[in-house]
Amino acid sequence: MTRIRVNTNFNMHVEEQGRGPAIIMLHGFCGSSKYWSSLIPLLSEQYRVIVPDLRGHGKSDAPVGAYTIEQMADDILDLANTLELSKFVLLGHSLGGYITLSFAQRYADRLNGFGLIHSTGYPDTEEGKQKRVATVQSLQAEGIVPMVDELIPKLFAARHIDEHAEQVSKAKEIGYLTPPQGAAGAALAMRERPDRTAVLAATALPLLLIAGEQDGIVTSDKTFTVNGPNVTQVTLTDVGHMSMMESPERLADTVASYMHQIRA
């Protein structure tokens, strides 16, 4: 693990393991690189797996104020430049998917492929935008703990709240470590993100789209907005919004299969 200075004045915490073709994986809102802790050993035997803490999350810096998805994508560009990665695969979970799409729109020449894991190219609805503002107000008034306690159970398939109680607890503990100003900055970034479904439709790069059958946050129809010979669509059964914790083996198999197609 290490801290890397990116975007002039921002320190990013990064975990890295393995050798081979590089995969950068971006976690979701109020997550961290620890979201991928069960997945990394499964992929690092074949690939160089790089998992940063996004701006405002985990052990990375959490500047005060609103962030933008573009700014967070530029953090990843600087990270790739610092690690001297000429090309790599970029996979994003939820918030990480929004960042991935911004990156793919502007820096496609740096990618061997990209993918969304429980994410979408659609922007927030008006109702969703209002909820982002309410989230920021809650964070300012009450801090991170109440918001995380309300959010995390919604991310798991209903049956997994009890069956995977340890993982639910782990996700909460990760969330509690999110600085409130970081969560607020990221919430405002998500609120202002544009519609990027056209990025998915236009790309000729190998595209991986993963949905959870029981995902109540991003339903499969919001993820599977494109088809084509370059598109791999996978629905993980009996999984909610957190396949990296609910079914890491199946998620790792899906990612490895996709990577094999790129190398073939």
Side-chain angles (χ1 to χ4, degrees), residues 23-214:
I23 310 172
I24 298 180
M25 305 184 76
L26 309 180
H27 62 78
F29 181 59
C30 287
S32 77
S33 54
K34 293 185 181 300
Y35 265 18
W36 308 108
S37 60
S38 294
L39 208 70
I40 292 170
L42 300 174
L43 291 173
S44 60
E45 292 182 4
Q46 302 180 67
Y47 306 107
R48 181 183 178 186
V49 183
I50 301 159
V51 289
D53 289 349
L54 298 174
R55 176 179 291 259
H57 291 75
K59 296 180 181 178
S60 289
D61 287 351
V64 175
Y67 308 157
T68 69
I69 296 299
E70 291 72 28
Q71 179 186 42
M72 298 174 87
D74 287 344
D75 291 340
I76 303 307
L77 177 66
D78 279 9
L79 170 64
N81 290 340
T82 300
L83 296 178
E84 299 182 344
L85 298 176
S86 58
K87 287 201 171 189
F88 54 94
V89 167
L90 185 61
L91 303 177
H93 167 241
S94 200
L95 162 62
Y98 310 148
I99 297 166
T100 295
L101 284 173
S102 174
F103 192 103
Q105 182 178 36
R106 295 179 294 136
Y107 310 122
D109 61 317
R110 299 296 296 273
L111 296 176
N112 289 320
F114 67 98
L116 306 183
I117 302 172
H118 314 307
S119 192
T120 180
Y122 287 118
D124 271 355
T125 63
E126 287 306 312
E127 179 184 4
K129 289 182 179 181
Q130 293 174 10
K131 288 181 178 179
R132 301 291 189 198
V133 173
T135 294
V136 172
Q137 292 171 342
S138 172
L139 286 162
Q140 292 171 338
E142 302 176 1
I144 195 72
V145 173
M147 192 273 288
V148 167
D149 283 342
E150 180 181 0
L151 171 66
I152 294 301
K154 297 176 181 177
L155 304 184
F156 287 78
R159 61 177 289 186
H160 291 162
I161 295 173
D162 292 327
E163 288 186 5
H164 294 315
E166 184 178 342
Q167 294 303 315
V168 175
S169 178
K170 178 181 177 180
K172 285 184 177 182
E173 292 298 326
I174 291 169
Y176 296 153
L177 296 176
T178 308
Q181 74 271 19
L188 293 173
M190 291 188 287
R191 184 183 189 275
E192 299 303 322
R193 75 185 191 278
D195 187 328
R196 285 198 167 97
T197 53
V199 178
L200 295 166
T203 188
L205 290 167
L207 175 61
L208 177 63
L209 302 175
I210 299 176
E213 182 186 42
Q214 298 183 37

